[in-house]
Structures are given as structure tokens and as C-alpha cells.
Amino acid sequence: MDLTINSQQRCFEGTQGFYSHDSAICGGAMNFAVYQPPQAKDGAKVPMVTFLSGLTCTEENFTAKAGAQRVAAELGLMLLMPDTSPRGCGYPGEDDDYDLGSGAGFYLDATQAPWSARYRMYSYITRELPALIAEHFPVDAGRQGIFGHSMGGHGALTIHLKNPGVYRSVSAFAPVCAPSQCPWGRKAFTAYLGEDETLWEDYDSCALIRRQPSDAKIFIDQGAEDPFLSEQLKPDLLVAACEDAGQHFEFRMQPDYDHSYYFIQTFVEDHLRHHAKTLT
Amino acid sequence: MDLTINSQQRCFEGTQGFYSHDSAICGGAMNFAVYQPPQAKDGAKVPMVTFLSGLTCTEENFTAKAGAQRVAAELGLMLLMPDTSPRGCGYPGEDDDYDLGSGAGFYLDATQAPWSARYRMYSYITRELPALIAEHFPVDAGRQGIFGHSMGGHGALTIHLKNPGVYRSVSAFAPVCAPSQCPWGRKAFTAYLGEDETLWEDYDSCALIRRQPSDAKIFIDQGAEDPFLSEQLKPDLLVAACEDAGQHFEFRMQPDYDHSYYFIQTFVEDHLRHHAKTLT
């Protein structure tokens, strides 16, 4: 599979790159960013942690604002930052709402037209993109973790729960914990997956945990002043599901923090150390 | 002086805020950002380091991308990030070029019409803004440092050299070292200061060092792969001036790094520790 290098820059003695490629699964060009730590050289393969971003984001937000490269360089972790959706599909309404279409792929495989042709972020993130990365970067595919923010926290949790042997460590910042039960999730799932809510459970962390908890520890930070906390994120539902199902978890409510990258940059080091504990 | 709080967010247990106010010196609204470290509470006053940004930047670039708050929180330093120029003056050509007018104030007091009415960033940064900060934030005005990037590195060096007793510590990332001798500087100085090049010396680090070196150590990081290195930045001229004048300095040429915030975030900790050595 071919890869276009859009830029590569030295950062903490490693390499921060932005790339694009033609995705077969998403039916068009897709962008992503990779940070290669300094340990990734002379043929050495390193573990990789994928970060999934939230609504409206691209591959650049976390890359530029989280301060994660410093910690990844210390721990020897590769970071993979995918975009949040296909772009420029030309579907009606694709760019009308911040919470549907462009920038709002929700890390699922859409089954409803027109989205089903290209909005297949679940298969893209779990199959096509890792294969491309393994071909072009010195990654140890047996040591992968996943984390994310908001919509991307939902993505990280569900992708881990459905692939616990591949994504062996998981964490999230302010995740959408129960998309079937919040406005963002219900709107997106209705459009992408249709009206039959039983089919939504396959992309709902709470439902997945109750069905089959994983052996990993789910690590979550949530800002207590996050404006989306009670209406959209609903971590209480995830905590209840974990407790009921015996899922190992650590949930930290962080007083005074909000939903922004100033919150993420404060705690990103704790998250990467959580992943490194399993992966290195 | 009144202050408008545009946002305040928790970050590393301190407060990252964005503010605006009516500037008398710049004749209109000005924006800036302040990071208050966790040590700035219960009446305790902390040292402050001002960061001056480069061409095209606002108060947000360094604030969002440099990862400086983590280190400032550890060291107990307040950070002040001003905007890079007045905005919306309505002058002909104000928004035409990235290197003149909006986003390109060059931290000087313009003497040429129409710029002279509002492009007075030198007086703004050294007089009006610190007074406003002292009124609204718990800063110890006797312990101040200054640093910056590119055009802002030029600003930091010249402001320190002209006020060594106020800005007691100084550093720069990839500074414009000799604006009188590079295209960015010559264009801006001609527009803002006029054709008489002898008047430019008052805003040229190399000329200022040769005139009167300071007692501080000038600390500079420069990326060896910076695309502006030889045409615009010219650190060799600054090194020569320091050596000739007996100015204490440390210049680090960093292999493989460029001009971006990925370069800045890599070395910002070293810079803040350099300032803390003098200020704390």
C-alpha cells in the first residue's frame, strides 16, 4: 500500500510525520499522523498506541496540542493519530452538522446509505490502517494500545472491548460512555446504523462491557467542569456497567477541569504511562 | 484598567486564561493569554516570563502548542503570551502580507504613518501590559524574564537588552538576530521606522549588544534544518556580536530540527529552567 509523506519534523529526537493514503475501506484519501520515538531506529520495533480524536477534530489536534511526544519519546511508544472520518464524500448534509458526517465518523461501520459506502471507520482503524502502518513503520503489532477523547474515547473503549487481544491497553479522556443513551450517539447511530437500537449495542461501551468484560484495566479521566458531562458523556453509566460486569477500571473525576486540550495535556503523561505498563 | 476574561481553564492545577482589554498605547482592543501556576494563590506572588510569538501568530499559538504549562506549573512561573500586533486598524495593506501589519508588529514603536498611531508594541509590551498584569494577577514584577520565537525572539532579545534590570533572564528559539540585515526586518523596519537605518539600531540585537552587553546569559536554541536560518535568522551575526562585546551567551544548534512548534515543545523545558535559575 502506498503512502504519501506530507511532512516530517524532528520532535523530542523522534519524528513527527503527517501522511495520507488511498483507503480501500473508506473509498478515498485518508490522513493520519504518526510519532516515531527515538527508540524506533536501526530496525528496532516499538509498541504503538493509537489515539482517536473527538468531534470536529482531524489528525492534527492531539498531535499539536497534547504534548504527548515528550512522554512517548521517554517511554519508547509510537503514536498513531488517525483522522476522525472520511472527507469530501459529497453526501447530502455531510458538512452541515459538527456531530454527523465530516469529523464525526464515530469509529463504526455504517450500514445505512449513503454513509455505508465510505463511513467505515471501525474497519479502517482496526484493519486497513494498522496493516499500512506495519508495512511502513517499525511497529511491533503484538504490542498495541488505544486511547481517545470524547467521541474518540468511545472509539477506544469499543475497539478495545471488541479486540482485547490486539489492543491490550486502553484509556480515555472524557469518553462518550453510552452513545445509545445520549444525543450525540443517538443522532449518529440512527443515521449510520438505522433505527433498530439492538444493532447499536455492538458500538456501545456499556453494552459491550455487560456482554463481555475484558481482562485489561480501563483507565478514564473526566473533568468535573466538562460542559458535556451529564448530557453526552454519562460516565456513571460506564462505572455501573464495569461494577456490574466485574470489569477492572479506574475512573478519576478531576475537579475544575473541562473538555479541552488543556485538560488532556495535563493528564496525557498518566495515560501513556498506563499504556507503557502493559506494552513495554 | 479594565480586563475582559474571555476564557479560563484549569491546566496542570493552574489556570490558563485568555483576556482582552482596551489598550491606550495601541489605540484599541488587545488580546493576551496568561498561565497562572498553582503556586499563584492565597496572595502569593510569583515570577513571570513573557513569551513573544513569531510572524502570523496570536496569543494562542504558544499557549496551545508549546507544552509550557507543565513546566511552568512545576517551577512556579507565570507565563504571559501577548498578541503579535494590533488588529483591525484599517490601514492600507495591513492584512496583505504575512510579514507586515497584522501579526507582524516586530515589538517596536513605529514612527512612520499610518503605523505610528497604533503599532507601538514596544511600549505596549514593556509598559502598559505589565502594569495591567500587575493590577490583575499575582505577579512579582521584580522577577521577570522574557523569551520568544523568530520575530518574537528578536523582540525578547531587544527588550531584554534595553531593559536588563526589568527582564532579568532572556532566551530565544530561532530568533531573527539581525533584523537590519535580513529581508523580514528590512521590510518591516523601513515601513515602521523609515529609511534612516541608523534609527534601526535601537531595535537590532546585534547593534544593541555591541553598544551595551547585558549581565545576563543569552540562551538560544536554533534548528539546523530551519528553512529561514541563513536568509532571515542569521545567528552567526549574533554569536559574533556576543563574542566581540563580551556578552555571555549559550547558542545551541540542534541537528534536524526546523522552525516549528515541534521544535519549540522539544526544548521549552530547558528554556523555562534557564529562566527559573535567575527568577526563583
Side-chain angles (χ1 to χ4, degrees):
Chain A
M1 292 184 280
D2 284 343
L3 185 70
T4 302
I5 300 171
N6 297 316
S7 66
Q8 285 188 324
Q9 299 170 266
R10 183 63 83 217
C11 185
F12 288 99
E13 299 299 299
T15 303
Q16 179 57 59
F18 286 86
Y19 309 90
S20 57
H21 72 118
D22 279 324
S23 164
I25 285 181
C26 292
M30 293 291 287
N31 301 318
F32 63 90
V34 169
Y35 177 68
Q36 298 182 63
Q39 294 85 350
K41 59 181 176 189
D42 304 328
K45 294 192 170 185
V46 297
M48 180 171 79
V49 187
T50 298
F51 182 88
L52 303 180
S53 279
L55 291 168
T56 77
C57 288
T58 71
E59 71 283 4
E60 194 181 356
N61 299 63
F62 180 84
T63 306
K65 295 182 174 180
Q69 292 91 343
R70 177 184 64 86
V71 190
E74 179 198 326
L75 299 174
L77 297 173
M78 191 175 299
L79 301 176
L80 169 61
M81 284 69 68
D83 198 356
T84 54
S85 76
R87 305 275 171 181
C89 299
Y91 300 153
E94 177 190 8
D95 296 320
D96 291 354
D97 299 345
Y98 79 99
D99 55 1
L100 189 70
S102 298
F106 272 86
Y107 305 104
L108 52 73
D109 285 349
T111 59
Q112 304 298 300
W115 311 103
S116 51
R118 294 188 54 189
Y119 275 66
R120 302 179 62 205
M121 290 297 289
Y122 177 77
S123 291
Y124 174 70
I125 297 290
T126 59
R127 297 214 323 265
E128 187 178 27
L129 187 55
L132 180 77
I133 297 296
E135 188 181 330
H136 291 278
F137 298 88
V139 64
D140 178 352
R143 292 187 288 161
Q144 287 191 65
I146 193 162
F147 66 152
H149 173 230
S150 197
M151 173 184 76
H154 141 76
L157 292 169
T158 54
I159 285 174
H160 161 74
L161 289 162
K162 292 157 71 126
N163 307 273
V166 177
Y167 299 96
R168 293 163 50 196
S169 58
V170 62
S171 72
F173 301 93
V176 175
C177 291
S180 305
Q181 301 180 62
C182 76
W184 282 342
R186 295 187 63 82
K187 175 177 175 176
F189 283 14
T190 302
Y192 296 142
L193 302 174
E195 305 276 352
D196 181 356
E197 297 190 19
T198 60
L199 300 176
W200 298 3
E201 292 178 7
D202 207 35
Y203 295 109
D204 187 294
S205 298
C206 291
L208 291 168
I209 285 169
R210 289 179 186 281
R211 188 190 300 171
Q212 180 63 59
S214 82
D215 292 334
K217 182 173 95 169
I218 293 176
F219 177 48
I220 294 177
D221 274 316
Q222 170 64 56
E225 299 303 317
D226 188 322
F228 304 112
L229 177 55
S230 58
E231 189 187 3
Q232 302 284 6
L233 306 177
K234 300 185 183 293
D236 48 316
L237 297 179
L238 189 80
V239 167
C242 289
E243 288 174 343
D244 291 348
Q247 170 73 52
H248 189 29
F249 75 100
E250 180 179 358
F251 177 81
R252 307 194 304 189
M253 184 64 84
Q254 302 287 3
D256 301 326
Y257 286 86
D258 67 6
H259 197 68
S260 72
Y261 272 89
Y262 296 110
F263 157 64
I264 293 175
Q265 70 168 258
T266 302
F267 300 108
V268 74
E269 178 165 351
D270 294 349
H271 283 245
L272 288 172
R273 292 194 184 283
H274 163 77
H275 288 274
K277 213 178 292 177
T278 298
L279 303 178
T280 64
Chain B
M1 292 183 280
D2 285 343
L3 185 69
T4 302
I5 300 172
N6 297 317
S7 67
Q8 285 188 325
Q9 299 170 268
R10 183 63 83 217
C11 185
F12 287 99
E13 299 299 301
T15 303
Q16 179 57 59
F18 287 85
Y19 308 91
S20 57
H21 72 118
D22 278 325
S23 164
I25 285 182
C26 292
M30 293 292 286
N31 301 319
F32 63 90
V34 170
Y35 177 67
Q36 299 182 63
Q39 293 84 351
K41 59 181 177 188
D42 305 329
K45 293 191 171 185
V46 297
M48 180 171 79
V49 187
T50 297
F51 182 87
L52 302 180
S53 278
L55 290 168
T56 77
C57 288
T58 70
E59 70 282 4
E60 195 182 355
N61 299 64
F62 181 85
T63 306
K65 295 181 175 180
Q69 292 92 344
R70 178 184 63 85
V71 190
E74 179 198 326
L75 300 174
L77 297 173
M78 191 175 298
L79 301 176
L80 169 61
M81 283 69 66
D83 198 357
T84 53
S85 76
R87 305 273 171 181
C89 298
Y91 301 153
E94 177 190 10
D95 296 319
D96 291 353
D97 297 346
Y98 80 98
D99 55 0
L100 189 70
S102 299
F106 272 85
Y107 306 104
L108 51 74
D109 286 349
T111 58
Q112 304 298 300
W115 311 103
S116 51
R118 294 187 54 189
Y119 274 66
R120 302 179 62 205
M121 291 297 290
Y122 177 77
S123 291
Y124 174 72
I125 297 289
T126 58
R127 296 214 323 264
E128 186 178 27
L129 187 54
L132 181 78
I133 297 296
E135 188 181 330
H136 292 277
F137 298 88
V139 64
D140 178 353
R143 292 188 289 160
Q144 286 191 66
I146 193 161
F147 66 151
H149 173 230
S150 197
M151 174 184 75
H154 140 76
L157 292 169
T158 54
I159 286 174
H160 161 74
L161 289 163
K162 291 158 70 127
N163 307 273
V166 177
Y167 299 95
R168 293 164 49 196
S169 58
V170 62
S171 72
F173 301 93
V176 175
C177 291
S180 306
Q181 301 179 62
C182 76
W184 282 342
R186 295 187 62 83
K187 175 177 176 176
F189 284 14
T190 302
Y192 296 142
L193 301 174
E195 304 277 350
D196 181 356
E197 296 189 20
T198 61
L199 300 176
W200 298 4
E201 293 179 8
D202 207 34
Y203 294 109
D204 187 294
S205 297
C206 291
L208 290 168
I209 286 170
R210 289 179 186 280
R211 188 191 301 171
Q212 179 62 60
S214 82
D215 292 334
K217 181 173 95 169
I218 293 177
F219 177 48
I220 293 177
D221 274 316
Q222 170 65 56
E225 298 303 317
D226 188 322
F228 304 113
L229 177 55
S230 58
E231 188 185 4
Q232 302 284 6
L233 306 177
K234 299 183 185 292
D236 48 317
L237 297 179
L238 189 79
V239 167
C242 288
E243 288 175 342
D244 291 349
Q247 170 72 51
H248 189 29
F249 75 100
E250 180 179 358
F251 176 81
R252 305 195 305 189
M253 184 65 84
Q254 302 287 3
D256 301 327
Y257 286 87
D258 67 5
H259 198 68
S260 73
Y261 273 89
Y262 297 109
F263 158 64
I264 293 176
Q265 70 168 259
T266 301
F267 300 108
V268 73
E269 178 165 352
D270 294 348
H271 284 246
L272 288 171
R273 292 194 185 284
H274 164 77
H275 288 274
K277 213 178 293 176
T278 298
L279 303 177
T280 62

